[in-house]
Amino acid sequence: MNTFGQNIKEDFIIENGFVCVNHSSFGFVPKQVFQLRIQHYTKFLQNPDRFTKIDYPKYTIEIRKTAAEFLNADFNQCMLTSNSAEAFNSIIRNLGLTENDTILYFSTAYPMVQNTIQFMTSNYNVKQNRIELKRQHLEKQKILSLFEKQLKTQKITIAVFDNISAQPSLIMPIKELISLCKKYNVISIVDAAHGAGITVLDIKDLDPDFLFTNFNKWAFCPSGINILYLKEQYLNKIHHNTISVNYGNGLAKECEFSGTKDFSLSLSLIDGVNFIKKYGLNQIIKYSEDLAWEGANLVAQIWQTELLVNDKSMHSAMVNVRIPHQDQNYCRECQKKCFEKYNVFLVVFKYDDLNWSRLSASLYNTIADYEYAARCYLKVLKGEE
Amino acid sequence: MIKSFGKELKEDFVIESGYTCVNHSSFGYIPKCVLKQRIENQLRFLQNPDSFIRYQIPKESPIVRKTAAEFLNANYNQCFFSSNSAESMNSIIKNLGLSDKDTILYLNIAYPMVQNVVKYMNTNHKVNVCRIELKVEDLKNEIILQQIEENMKTKKITVAILDNISSLPSIKLPTKEFVELCKKYDVISIIDGAHGAGISEINLKELDPDFFFTNLNKWAFCPCSVNLLYMKEKYLNQIHNNTISVFYGAGIEKEFEYYGTRDSSVILSVIDGINYINQFGLKQIIQYCENLAWEGSELVAKIWETELLVKDKTMHSAMVNVLIPHKDHSYILECQKTCFEKYNVFVVAFEFDGRSWARFSASLYNYLEDYEYAAKQFLNVLKKEG
């Protein structure tokens, strides 16, 4: 696809000379989105009274409607938050959970999610049920089977699971997981931090109790813009995690204003979605997924190692490759050295006793990026730099 | 060559062309030089967020905290950045382990966010509340302190909250005496210094409260919004960021350095804002703003043929409250909107003690004509002559 790759790279805000193989942590934005962002920002700063009192209440409707349409959800059930942490904290801490409740989650859940669950245990004695996913379990049917076993044999109140996990990164079978939750009368929370822009999310079809997704990871918005979706029945129950002037005025109002901040930022959601529409979501997903797969396989070849999971269908635009070294600390040191010396950042993490790297792909990436990343990191690992 | 305050300086600020700003205090307005640097910082973040978040912020954040801490005369390891006063207040109150055995004391003129947080603690954790009702005639230091002490004497108060400078109505509060009373009666003191840095001379070592938070964007020329949260050392292991995220349990410093993806490059502007202040001198800035807010409000009161809420200049910072010559607050809010749309000036209007008041703020780019303009146009609209 000629549109993507080297041709489009100059349309992106990326540091000159930086080889990016980690789009997924924070996202990178197109220049046109950034230019519009500066326009919105300046407008806000030039007259914040006008912006917050007159313009912003109208903008938030437009922003939420754009997001809702993009995710196929009702806009009344879509709220603007800054990031997944705010969204998840707002949900979990307002469900009235006690020692009579149990939260089910996978060992691959993002640290923020695990920490928030731990907080609920420490402060409210809420019980936890953690499903250990080891390498041998990383198959759709096994994941579902382990999940259903817990729902069947334990009294679970809530289940949290990723749309696409972070480390290691895999597509989770959320449709089936949500169905299982309904079958066993469990509240479902989908952590779709990795979601909008890299998955075709159809919330009406999925029908979870809660779902939150970042627009700055894969939907070409600057950090941090997040949409929290919830079923109607929770609209009067959930409060924004930060109590502020709109507390009690409805969740939409609470999310609209939860303290002063840069109110112009969320306008970039519309610009990011427009960028996606320009190229087509399906085209973007295909390019990114194919390249991540091809790139990661090349890395595995250069490192003479292997992928964590060999099934392409379990991957989005992030793939995990085994690092040819046993010492986690050493791998991290090399990550830093590689970054400083070769201007390429590799995500490095430990999983099931081995060290892995996660490679991501976006529109501006080409196969050369993965070759470069693989060779540079290997040099550093071998002390040859 | 440093420009003088007033009209000459206005072109150095990011203010909509033709807009008459008499409400600096709600969000703050920034100098063009600060915005320019802010955009550069933001670009630096976006160009390489891995580098920025993982390596640069951990190095630069302590430096910024040191600058801000020095500005407020505090230890930087007791100072942390949040996005706003709401985040700071939520982080404090929800982590004090308050229960139905505790009582929170606050004033009726506390900011709505603070009142809502207290309400939340009451509703969800059955924490008791003690709200001091102040009327117009009570807005004097002696009376305020006397009422606070009376309540601390007769009730078992756990935590007490006081503004440094209140919002609506806006007056300076006797924070030094308040902290002393808290110590005398063994009460945890929280000072809402949302209005603080840049418009007050704050000396936290001397003031010595348990907790203090202040916006850097209201009066310290930082873009909207950055807040500094200060606490005594003994709370460092107790207070957690209200947002639980990846660094939960890794120490309060880490919890506030990163608590979810956000544009943390904004904190770098704190240094630019403080540098801007130091260019002129904090005392000079405070003097200009306080004098102009007073003079401007007296002019408004004259034009409106009304009066100031509090007639003691020493009780004011750079915000002064003037009685609006109308009894119907809904009508006044409509006029506020019309005046904004038609005459491009926003007049803050609020209710207090059965009457409607306007609040006028002054910053470096303001001059007397701003208040004359605001007063006349608002009056025109009120009288339906506009």
Side-chain angles (χ1 to χ4, degrees), chain A residues 124-140:
Chain A
Y124 302 102
N125 294 320
V126 178
K127 297 191 175 54
Q128 304 180 19
N129 186 320
R130 182 181 148 113
I131 300 174
E132 290 301 323
L133 288 183
K134 298 264 174 212
R135 197 173 173 187
Q136 66 263 33
H137 304 127
L138 299 179
E139 272 171 42
K140 186 172 167 176

Side-chain angles (χ1 to χ4, degrees), chain A residues 30-260:
Chain A
K31 286 179 179 166
Q32 74 187 60
V33 172
F34 182 68
Q35 269 149 29
L36 287 166
R37 158 143 184 71
I38 298 302
Q39 279 177 37
H40 303 317
Y41 193 40
T42 308
K43 186 171 176 197
F44 163 56
L45 293 170
Q46 279 176 338
N47 197 331
D49 279 314
R50 191 193 310 289
F51 196 95
T52 52
K53 291 167 178 44
I54 296 177
D55 302 329
Y56 186 62
K58 281 185 248 164
Y59 290 153
T60 47
I61 307 285
E62 201 189 325
I63 295 163
R64 287 165 60 210
K65 278 191 172 149
T66 305
E69 188 190 63
F70 189 66
L71 304 169
N72 195 28
D74 218 288
F75 109 94
N76 288 308
Q77 295 164 241
C78 290
M79 309 294 163
L80 268 170
T81 59
S82 293
N83 48 55
S84 292
E86 261 183 37
F88 189 62
N89 274 248
S90 299
I91 300 167
I92 272 285
R93 293 164 74 171
N94 284 290
L95 286 173
L97 301 176
T98 66
E99 68 266 19
N100 297 322
D101 297 299
T102 306
I103 305 174
L104 179 71
Y105 64 103
F106 291 101
S107 60
T108 50
Y110 188 63
M112 174 278 291
V113 169
Q114 301 208 33
N115 283 346
T116 309
I117 293 172
Q118 187 50 46
F119 170 86
M120 295 305 287
T121 301
S122 306
N123 288 50
Y124 302 102
N125 294 320
V126 178
K127 297 191 175 54
Q128 304 180 19
N129 186 320
R130 182 181 148 113
I131 300 174
E132 290 301 323
L133 288 183
K134 298 264 174 212
R135 197 173 173 187
Q136 66 263 33
H137 304 127
L138 299 179
E139 272 171 42
K140 186 172 167 176
Q141 285 316 313
K142 288 190 180 159
I143 290 170
L144 291 171
S145 162
L146 286 169
F147 189 76
E148 180 158 24
K149 183 168 178 200
Q150 293 309 308
L151 294 186
K152 228 184 224 174
T153 59
Q154 312 292 321
K155 178 77 202 85
I156 305 292
T157 321
I158 298 182
V160 190
F161 41 88
D162 283 299
N163 172 46
I164 300 164
S165 59
Q167 292 176 3
S169 188
L170 293 166
I171 292 177
M172 298 290 278
I174 58 172
K175 200 160 165 52
E176 294 87 340
L177 288 167
I178 293 167
S179 296
L180 283 171
C181 286
K182 286 184 211 273
K183 182 174 172 186
Y184 293 92
N185 198 24
V186 170
I187 297 172
S188 55
I189 303 178
V190 183
D191 175 355
H194 294 287
I198 202 60
T199 307
V200 180
L201 281 172
D202 183 338
I203 293 182
K204 281 200 173 113
D205 185 54
L206 289 168
D207 199 34
D209 286 283
F210 298 92
L211 181 143
F212 53 90
T213 185
N214 282 43
F215 272 73
N216 55 278
K217 283 188 188 296
W218 298 98
F220 304 110
C221 293
S223 288
I225 302 172
N226 187 286
I227 289 284
L228 161 61
Y229 161 87
L230 64 173
K231 270 185 146 64
E232 270 187 303
Q233 67 202 75
Y234 302 106
L235 287 174
N236 289 328
K237 193 167 190 176
I238 302 301
H239 290 278
H240 191 281
N241 187 48
T242 305
I243 309 293
S244 188
V245 299
N246 279 336
Y247 176 61
N249 290 343
L251 182 60
K253 279 288 169 197
E254 289 185 11
C255 291
E256 191 178 294
F257 191 97
S258 60
T260 29

Side-chain angles (χ1 to χ4, degrees), chain A residues 41 50 93 241 244 260, chain B residues 38 84 94 116 225 242 344:
Chain A
Y41 193 40
R50 191 193 310 289
R93 293 164 74 171
N241 187 48
S244 188
T260 29
Chain B
R38 164 95 189 93
N84 48 55
K94 289 181 190 172
N116 282 344
S225 71
N242 181 50
N344 222 1

Side-chain angles (χ1 to χ4, degrees), chain B residues 64-76 78-81 164 191 193-209 212-216 219-220 226-231 270 274 277-278 282 286:
Chain B
V64 184
R65 283 163 60 213
K66 280 185 179 144
T67 307
E70 189 187 82
F71 188 65
L72 305 172
N73 197 27
N75 275 331
Y76 94 96
Q78 293 165 242
C79 293
F80 310 97
F81 288 122
N164 175 48
I191 296 185
H195 293 287
I199 203 58
S200 287
E201 287 187 77
I202 297 164
N203 185 336
L204 287 173
K205 283 200 173 111
E206 194 185 273
L207 189 61
D208 199 34
F212 179 97
F213 53 88
T214 185
N215 280 46
L216 281 309
W219 298 98
V226 183
N227 192 279
L228 185 128
L229 167 60
Y230 161 90
M231 67 188 73
V270 170
I274 290 175
I277 289 173
N278 289 337
L282 179 60
I286 294 174

Side-chain angles (χ1 to χ4, degrees), chain A residues 13-15 18 22 25-29 34 37-38 41-42 44-50 52-54 82-86 89 93-94 110-112 115-116 118-119 122-124 214 216-217 222-224 241-247 257-263 335-336 339 343 345 347, chain B residues 14-16 19 23 26-30 35 38-39 42-43 45-51 53-55 83-87 90 94-95 111-113 116-117 119-120 123-125 215 217-218 223-225 241-248 258-263 266 337 340-341 344 346:
Chain A
I13 307 266
I14 302 174
E15 186 189 282
F18 178 63
N22 181 34
S25 284
F26 304 101
F28 283 76
V29 297
F34 182 68
R37 158 143 184 71
I38 298 302
Y41 193 40
T42 308
F44 163 56
L45 293 170
Q46 279 176 338
N47 197 331
D49 279 314
R50 191 193 310 289
T52 52
K53 291 167 178 44
I54 296 177
S82 293
N83 48 55
S84 292
E86 261 183 37
N89 274 248
R93 293 164 74 171
N94 284 290
Y110 188 63
M112 174 278 291
N115 283 346
T116 309
Q118 187 50 46
F119 170 86
S122 306
N123 288 50
Y124 302 102
N214 282 43
N216 55 278
K217 283 188 188 296
S223 288
N241 187 48
T242 305
I243 309 293
S244 188
V245 299
N246 279 336
Y247 176 61
F257 191 97
S258 60
T260 29
K261 61 180 183 182
D262 173 4
F263 296 105
Q335 172 194 56
K336 194 158 192 261
F339 196 14
N343 221 358
F345 181 79
V347 172
Chain B
V14 178
I15 301 176
E16 185 189 283
Y19 182 64
N23 181 34
S26 285
F27 302 98
Y29 284 75
I30 61 173
L35 178 60
R38 164 95 189 93
I39 293 173
Q42 192 168 95
L43 207 56
F45 160 56
L46 293 172
Q47 276 174 346
N48 198 334
D50 281 311
S51 168
I53 300 284
R54 295 173 206 273
Y55 300 118
S83 292
N84 48 55
S85 291
E87 281 186 11
N90 275 251
K94 289 181 190 172
N95 284 290
Y111 187 64
M113 174 277 291
N116 282 344
V117 172
K119 182 173 165 193
Y120 167 88
T123 311
N124 287 51
H125 301 277
N215 280 46
N217 56 282
K218 282 186 187 296
C224 201
S225 71
N241 192 315
N242 181 50
T243 306
I244 309 293
S245 186
V246 299
F247 284 120
Y248 175 60
Y258 184 92
Y259 53 107
T261 9
R262 68 201 325 104
D263 180 1
V266 68
K337 192 163 189 261
F340 198 9
E341 287 164 359
N344 222 1
F346 181 77

